[in-house]
């Protein structure tokens, strides 16, 4: 076989791999260790190195391991971590940081091409370039993405194919860092931090020629073409920069006053060679059985099966040395939530790294990652605190605790456990099996403590003391889990069986990433406490690390809650608060400090996103401190708004003193000529919580802010004629600081870029927050706030003009629509009458038309409540929905669709309150609404891909489509209310007919009884006739004179015998009524009459029946069936619900 050389392949492709070779008379088979079996293989001292093996690299010059504990891309710190007193049992905080997977050299050309294309487009169109590309750029990007995707798949296939093949000296390989999943790479743009003549070594996510190294022997006893064996000393030559080798620096990081890993040496690229010993860690099996086996240095949860508790501890290596452990070892039971019963915990407090104890026995090496056998001596390392589980004797009791690693004999004794099977089976241990955990030195078993009554003993927490000054928030408990004590027992209890639960690779990767940010923050905090001046480059680097953490936490492709939970578990929040407390506004490095502190608040804000009450309560104890930093331009306001928003526990404890403090700061800034709208936003979120009003806070803000300082603080707005336009329409104007009236459309045009709306000091942003605060204060029908605002700030005309002005930006229009709702619709004694209609009636008061009292009075609802603005609202809403029967699904129409959904929300309220009671009005508004509901009428703003959009695009759950989905959901909610109304009307009519049939309606009963001279009662057959005229047409006996109101009407006269005994009673059915043995009515007559009557009842309320067969888009059933194909659960649920109601009512 030929020896590979650097010139033997194209630089844009993958270097050739080196396969197994024939040595002497024996053949080395890939995947089988020399002398071992393929079924149960393990790497031993002189085994060959294979593709796919995981190894450690021990630096001979630095007497340490190549180590990288930083996950950030901006800050790189590849170091050589000292081995300590024992090379075979190094004191590594996380051994995964020193593990590297040996890979065959990957292809990289297509991936590099994609990166170049994206960078070019980003320079041309900005950060968010996807929506601004022309057709040519789209094709170019799509082609590059397809080629890169194909290349990634080929690399994965090749790695699987080459796995198990021996690595030969002279071969080109890549080293993938296990902790970060990145590749060891040469950074040709930056020099080494410690040795300026050398290049820097980084970790990178992408493949490139910088990631490829040639592996060479250090001594001549090995030569190019020989197999690389475990424990060989090797050199790594860069493929891109020939003659340059991985090198260990002479100096430490502390020599340049760097706190980050200051006790370590640096790994760089130099012309000088450094030797590295290959230490075996793990070798995968060909049959993949290793995936189900418990391996050394893997992450597990210890789950007590009987009590359904996890063995946990709380704390973090992010804390100072004396406070790493916050809560010692105990058992924790999660709250019982039905949907989570079968899901394992994702909290990092349950994570334990199980490692082999280093000893004299065969296979005992803490660096090993091979599978365990039953009876093996193990150690449990708590991943959060990086301390070991131990059993100590205290007052005669065996207590579970955590201790630091130390190079003493008693450490090994105290931390060594044995895993013993509950059910004897195979020698090797599988995940999810039951095990008993035995401590040999104390001769105790891990045990869940129980009292005399057999119930578990509660664990008393020692942490979570309230933050100083957190009045009103200090008693908020953020964790409601049940916790119990655990200890060592000399008696082996049958029920003390623990399940060894595997933590998924994805959760381990998330933990590694977040924990990889901690050293950066600790180093920064250490420098600040030492009084070191912060340079701008260092501040930018730390800020970039915090930005990466924010982006990782809010990544839409991952579960946000898992990442947020890690920030809480690793106590990163406490680190951020400690950094913020060291901020000094008058320091010389104030600008650099501010840059870091702003990003600290951004991380906290992202941590609070979502609906996790636990996270919000966890942060709430720091609220007084955060409020002190509100005016320091650190973005504390944004974080506080996110914290308080929709949090009932915090809003309910929002004191008047806090409101006074915020108003005071707001007025001070205003007097100084600076208006920060976030103060208004903060007051706004303190007024409303999940649509429920905090009345006390609302009234206090109205009194202390609006009534006392509103005229001076807020912009005055009014409606005026705009003479600059040819039509001279009325527009909304505002009085600026120079006391000139300006059109609101000038500062907030509909074409304004969204990012300009977020400038917190702009006039437009202040106006937006001003309108938003008014809406929050009036929310929940607060009569005091409504009266103050409508009398002094905004009237109905202004609100309607602002909501209807298409020249205004949708953000501002949405605020006016909300003001219409809270100031002029959701007011007074209105109640949701149509939402919960009664199905029972006062029998004697049932009328043919139950709402005859409100006919002809448009401003009166079915409940009797009046709204003087209803007529104008009805005209405006009808005009809006008529003009928007075709919905536009595009990113530039999202704002307009959101406003449309809000307007439909007002329509929903008016319908719910009973203002739409006239069938003509209902049918008129439903026609354009159903047209809007029909997805076949939806269009793209551009003309491209129309057929694809109609067949697929409109159904997808995209940002643009979601705004359209919200509109359709509102329409279906309105339709549901009309179904309620229709059912109610029809039910009332049936009850009224029943009364008439029973002869209990006064107008029909005037001549109901006739008596003969003998006193006998004539038959009661004057039951009402079913005719087109209604229910007032009686059947009468022949010869009886009709009353005047019946004389001109067609009457069916009934011949009856003169007298019939009363005991015979009235007929139970008309079809059974006989006179002299003959039926009075035939079946055909009865059926046709009944149908006429039903049509007479149904016709006025036939809101959804399409009488015009030529209008295809108004086919209600087809529209609802089309809705069922959308990729939105709420939309599909609504569609199926209305289908059910439609056919149920028609049956």
């Amino acid at each position: 076989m030929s020896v590979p050389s650097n010139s033997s392949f194209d630089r844009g492709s993958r270097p050739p791999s080196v396969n197994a070779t024939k040595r002497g008379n024996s053949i080395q088979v890939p995947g089988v260790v020399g002398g071992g079996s393929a079924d149960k293989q393990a790497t031993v001292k002189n085994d060959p190195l294979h593709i796919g093996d995981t190894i450690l690299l021990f630096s001979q010059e630095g007497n340490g391991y190549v180590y990288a504990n930083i996950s950030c891309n901006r800050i790189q710190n590849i170091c050589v971590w000292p081995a300590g007193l024992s090379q075979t049992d190094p004191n590594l905080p996380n051994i995964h940081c020193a593990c590297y997977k040996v890979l065959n050299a990957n292809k990289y050309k297509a991936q590099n091409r994609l990166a170049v294309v994206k960078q070019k487009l980003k320079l041309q169109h900005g950060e968010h370039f996807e929506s601004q590309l022309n057709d040519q750029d789209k094709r170019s990007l799509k082609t590059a993405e397809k080629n890169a995707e194909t290349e990634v798949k080929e690399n994965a296939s090749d790695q699987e194919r080459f796995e198990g093949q021996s690595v030969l000296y002279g071969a080109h390989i890549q080293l993938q860092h296990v902790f970060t999943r990145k590749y060891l790479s040469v950074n040709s743009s930056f020099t080494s931090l410690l040795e300026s003549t050398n290049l820097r070594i980084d970790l990178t996510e992408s493949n490139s020629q910088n990631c490829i190294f040639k592996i060479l022997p250090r001594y001549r006893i090995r030569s190019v073409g020989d197999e690389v064996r475990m424990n060989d000393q090797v050199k790594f030559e860069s493929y891109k920069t020939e003659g340059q080798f991985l090198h260990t620096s002479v100096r430490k990081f502390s020599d340049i006053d760097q706190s980050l890993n200051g006790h370590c040496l640096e790994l760089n690229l130099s012309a000088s060679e450094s030797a590295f010993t290959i230490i075996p860690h793990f070798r995968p099996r060909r049959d993949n059985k290793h995936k189900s086996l418990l391996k050394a240095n893997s992450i597990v949860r210890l789950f007590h099966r009987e009590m359904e508790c996890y063995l946990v501890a709380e704390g973090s290596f992010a804390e100072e040395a004396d406070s790493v452990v916050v809560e010692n070892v105990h058992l924790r039971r999660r709250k019982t939530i039905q949907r989570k019963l079968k899901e394992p915990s994702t909290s990092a407090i349950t994570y334990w790294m199980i490692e082999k104890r280093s000893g004299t026995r065969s296979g005992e090496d803490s660096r090993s990652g091979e599978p365990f056998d039953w009876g093996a001596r193990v150690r449990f390392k708590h991943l959060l605190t990086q301390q070991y589980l131990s059993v100590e004797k205290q007052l005669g009791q065996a207590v579970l605790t955590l201790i630091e690693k130390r190079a003493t004999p008693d450490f090994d004794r105290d931390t060594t456990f044995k895993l013993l099977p509950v059910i004897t089976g195979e020698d090797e241990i599988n995940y999810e099996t039951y095990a008993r955990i035995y401590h040999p030195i104390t001769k105790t078993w891990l045990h869940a403590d129980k009292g005399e009554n057999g119930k578990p003993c509660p664990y008393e927490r020692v942490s979570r003391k309230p933050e100083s000054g957190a009045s009103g928030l200090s008693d908020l408990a953020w964790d409601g889990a049940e916790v119990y004590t655990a200890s060592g027992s000399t008696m082996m209890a049958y029920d003390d069986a623990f399940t060894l639960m595997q933590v998924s690779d994805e959760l381990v990767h998330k933990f590694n990433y977040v924990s990889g940010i901690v050293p950066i923050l600790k180093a920064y905090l250490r420098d600040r406490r030492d009084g070191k001046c912060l340079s701008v480059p260092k501040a930018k680097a730390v800020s970039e690390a915090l930005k990466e953490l924010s982006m990782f936490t809010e990544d839409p492709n991952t579960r946000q809650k898992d990442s947020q939970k890690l920030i809480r578990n690793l106590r990163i929040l406490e680190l951020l608060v400690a950094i913020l407390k060291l901020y000094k506004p008058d320091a010389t490095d104030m600008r650099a400090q501010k840059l870091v502190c702003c990003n600290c608040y951004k991380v906290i804000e992202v941590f609070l996103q979502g609906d996790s009450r636990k996270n919000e309560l966890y942060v709430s104890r720091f609220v007084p401190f955060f409020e002190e930093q509100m005016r320091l331009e650190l973005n504390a306001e944004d974080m506080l708004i996110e914290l308080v928003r929709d949090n009932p526990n915090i809003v309910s404890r929002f004191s008047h003193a806090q409101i006074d403090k915020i108003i005071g700061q707001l007025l001070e800034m205003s007097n100084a000529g600076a208006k920060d709208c976030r103060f208004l936003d903060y007051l706004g979120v303190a007024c409303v919580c999940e649509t429920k009003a905090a009345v006390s806070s609302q009234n206090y803000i109205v009194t202390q802010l609006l009534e006392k300082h509103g005229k001076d603080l807020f912009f005055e707005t009014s409606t005026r004629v705009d003479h600059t336009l040819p039509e001279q329409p009325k527009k909304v104007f505002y009085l600026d600081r120079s006391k000139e009236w300006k059109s609101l459309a000038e500062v907030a045009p509909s074409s304004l870029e969204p990012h300009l709306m977020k400038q917190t000091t702009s006039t437009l942003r202040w106006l937006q927050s001003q309108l938003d605060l008014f809406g929050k204060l009036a929310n929940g029908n607060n009569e005091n706030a409504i009266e103050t605002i409508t009398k002094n700030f905004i009237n109905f005309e202004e609100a309607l003009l602002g909501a209807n002005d298409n020249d205004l930006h949708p953000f501002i229009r949405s605020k006016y629509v909300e003001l219409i709702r809270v100031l002029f619709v959701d007011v007074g004694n209105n109640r949701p009458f149509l939402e919960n209609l009664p199905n029972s009636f006062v029998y004697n008061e049932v009328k043919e038309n139950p709402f005859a009292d409100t006919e002809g009075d448009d401003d009166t609802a079915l409940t009797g409540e009046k709204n003087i603005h209803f007529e104008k609202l009805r005209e405006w809403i009808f005009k809006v929905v008529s003009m928007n029967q075709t919905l536009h699904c595009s990113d530039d129409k999202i704002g307009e669709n959101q406003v449309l959904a809000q307007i439909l929300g007002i329509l929903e309220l008016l319908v719910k309150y009973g203002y739409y009671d006239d069938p003509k009005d209902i049918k008129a508004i439903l026609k354009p609404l159903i047209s809007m509901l029909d997805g076949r009428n939806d269009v793209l703003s551009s003309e491209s891909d129309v057929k694809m959009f109609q067949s697929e695009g409109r159904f997808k759950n995209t940002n643009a489509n979601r705004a359209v989905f919200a509109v359709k959901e509102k329409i279906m909610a309105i339709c549901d209310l009309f179904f309620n109304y229709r059912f109610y009307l029809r039910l009332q009519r049936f009850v009224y007919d029943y009364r008439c049939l029973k002869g209990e309606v006064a107008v029909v009963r005037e001549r109901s009884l006739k008596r003969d001279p003998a006193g006998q009662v004539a038959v009661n057959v004057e039951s009402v006739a079913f005719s087109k005229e209604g229910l007032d047409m009686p059947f009468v006996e022949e010869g009886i004179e009709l009353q005047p109101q019946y004389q001109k009407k067609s009457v069916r006269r009934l011949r009856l015998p003169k007298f019939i005994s009363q005991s015979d009673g009235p007929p139970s059915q008309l079809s059974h009524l006989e006179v002299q043995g003959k039926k009075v009515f035939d079946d055909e007559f009865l059926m046709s009459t009944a149908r006429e009557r039903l049509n007479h009842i149904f016709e006025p309320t036939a809101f959804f029946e399409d009488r015009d067969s030529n209008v295809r888009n108004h086919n209600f059933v087809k529209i609802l069936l089309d809705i069922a194909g959308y990729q939105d659960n709420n939309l599909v649920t609504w569609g199926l619900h209305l289908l059910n109601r439609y056919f149920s009512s028609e049956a």
Side-chain angles (χ1 to χ4, degrees), residues 514-692:
V514 178
S515 64
I517 303 295
V518 171
I520 300 173
L521 301 180
K522 287 184 67 176
Y524 175 84
L525 186 60
R526 194 179 301 116
D527 289 345
R528 296 300 305 150
R529 286 172 174 168
D530 292 343
K532 296 180 181 178
C533 185
L534 180 62
S535 64
V536 174
K538 186 172 183 179
K540 288 183 177 180
V542 176
S543 299
E544 286 296 321
L546 291 170
K547 287 180 181 178
E548 287 185 27
L549 179 59
S550 299
M551 293 173 62
F552 179 81
T553 305
E554 60 183 353
D555 185 359
N557 297 321
T558 62
R559 277 190 52 175
Q560 189 180 41
K561 281 188 175 181
D562 293 340
S563 304
Q564 292 174 334
K565 195 178 295 185
L566 288 170
I567 293 178
R568 188 176 70 236
N569 294 152
L570 284 162
R571 302 180 69 82
I572 290 179
L573 181 67
E574 282 77 3
L575 274 179
L576 299 177
V577 172
I579 291 173
L580 292 168
K581 287 182 176 180
L582 294 176
Y583 173 71
K584 298 179 180 179
D586 54 351
T588 56
D589 57 352
M590 181 268 295
R591 292 184 61 185
Q593 288 188 55
K594 181 182 291 187
L595 185 62
V596 175
C597 291
C598 286
N599 283 285
C600 287
Y601 275 115
K602 177 61 179 176
V603 173
I604 302 175
E605 182 182 351
V606 172
F607 172 72
L608 293 169
Q609 289 178 0
D611 57 352
S612 174
R613 283 285 176 266
K614 187 178 289 188
N615 291 344
E616 294 171 351
L617 297 176
Y618 186 80
V619 178
S620 63
R621 65 187 189 275
F622 300 111
V623 165
F625 166 71
F626 293 148
E627 288 181 344
E628 292 177 0
Q629 293 197 320
M630 285 185 69
R631 294 181 58 189
L632 300 180
E633 299 180 359
L634 301 178
N635 295 333
E637 298 85 354
D638 294 332
M639 187 278 302
L640 281 169
I641 292 169
E642 189 66 33
L643 172 61
V644 178
R645 179 182 285 115
D646 293 335
N647 191 323
N649 295 292
I650 298 179
V651 171
S652 61
R653 287 170 169 79
F654 216 86
S655 64
H656 290 175
Q658 284 179 278
I659 295 175
D660 287 335
K661 186 177 180 180
I662 296 166
I663 293 177
Q665 293 182 7
L666 178 62
L667 295 175
E668 287 180 12
M669 294 184 66
S670 179
N671 294 333
K675 288 187 175 183
D676 192 338
C677 61
R678 291 175 296 184
F679 284 83
L680 298 183
D681 295 338
Y682 190 42
L683 291 174
V685 296
C687 294
V688 179
C689 177
E690 296 177 341
T691 70
K692 295 182 180 179

Side-chain angles (χ1 to χ4, degrees), residues 459-473:
Y459 171 82
E460 185 177 354
R461 297 183 184 273
V462 297
S463 64
R464 301 181 187 174
K465 295 179 181 179
E467 183 76 2
S468 176
S471 176
L473 299 173

Side-chain angles (χ1 to χ4, degrees), residues 11-17 51-52 101-113 145-163 172 174 176 183 205-209 211-212:
R11 292 271 175 173
S13 61
R14 182 184 61 248
S17 62
I51 295 294
K101 188 175 182 179
V102 180
L103 300 177
N104 196 56
N106 285 316
K107 300 176 184 177
Y108 53 84
K109 196 172 186 179
Q111 297 171 71
N112 288 353
R113 171 62 182 165
E145 288 176 341
K146 185 176 180 180
N147 293 338
E149 184 180 353
T150 301
E151 188 176 74
V152 170
K153 291 181 180 179
E154 289 178 355
N155 285 337
S157 177
D158 290 346
Q159 292 298 339
E160 185 176 353
R161 180 162 53 91
F162 286 119
E163 186 174 286
H172 292 87
Q174 289 182 216
Q176 186 181 34
Y183 301 102
E205 295 177 350
S206 58
N207 285 302
S208 69
Q209 56 186 347
C211 304
I212 301 173

Side-chain angles (χ1 to χ4, degrees), residues 408-542:
T408 57
D410 60 329
F411 170 78
D412 284 335
R413 292 195 300 268
D414 293 340
T415 58
T416 299
F417 293 84
K418 279 188 176 183
L419 297 177
L420 301 176
V422 175
I423 302 174
T424 305
E426 298 179 355
D427 292 339
E428 293 176 315
I429 306 175
N430 287 282
Y431 288 112
E432 312 302 326
T433 55
Y434 297 131
R436 302 191 193 280
I437 303 176
Y438 179 66
H439 191 250
I441 299 302
T442 59
K443 298 181 180 180
T444 57
W445 305 80
L446 246 61
H447 169 70
D449 294 335
K450 295 181 180 179
E452 295 180 357
N453 56 2
K455 294 183 178 180
C457 299
Y459 171 82
E460 185 177 354
R461 297 183 184 273
V462 297
S463 64
R464 301 181 187 174
K465 295 179 181 179
E467 183 76 2
S468 176
S471 176
L473 299 173
S474 59
D475 59 338
L476 289 177
W478 60 267
D479 187 6
E482 301 171 1
V483 289
Y484 307 104
T485 59
S487 64
S489 172
T490 55
M491 297 293 293
M492 183 186 73
Y494 183 80
D495 59 346
D496 281 330
F498 289 84
T499 302
L500 304 172
M501 303 178 67
Q502 182 181 16
V503 180
S504 68
D505 291 341
E506 193 58 36
L507 289 176
V508 172
H509 175 64
K510 287 182 179 180
F511 175 85
N512 291 344
Y513 183 88
V514 178
S515 64
I517 303 295
V518 171
I520 300 173
L521 301 180
K522 287 184 67 176
Y524 175 84
L525 186 60
R526 194 179 301 116
D527 289 345
R528 296 300 305 150
R529 286 172 174 168
D530 292 343
K532 296 180 181 178
C533 185
L534 180 62
S535 64
V536 174
K538 186 172 183 179
K540 288 183 177 180
V542 176

Side-chain angles (χ1 to χ4, degrees), residues 734 742-749 752 757 763-764 767 808-809:
Y734 76 98
K742 292 185 178 180
S743 173
L744 193 57
E746 293 181 7
V747 295
L752 189 66
M757 298 289 296
T763 299
L764 173 58
L767 282 167
L808 274 177
H809 196 279

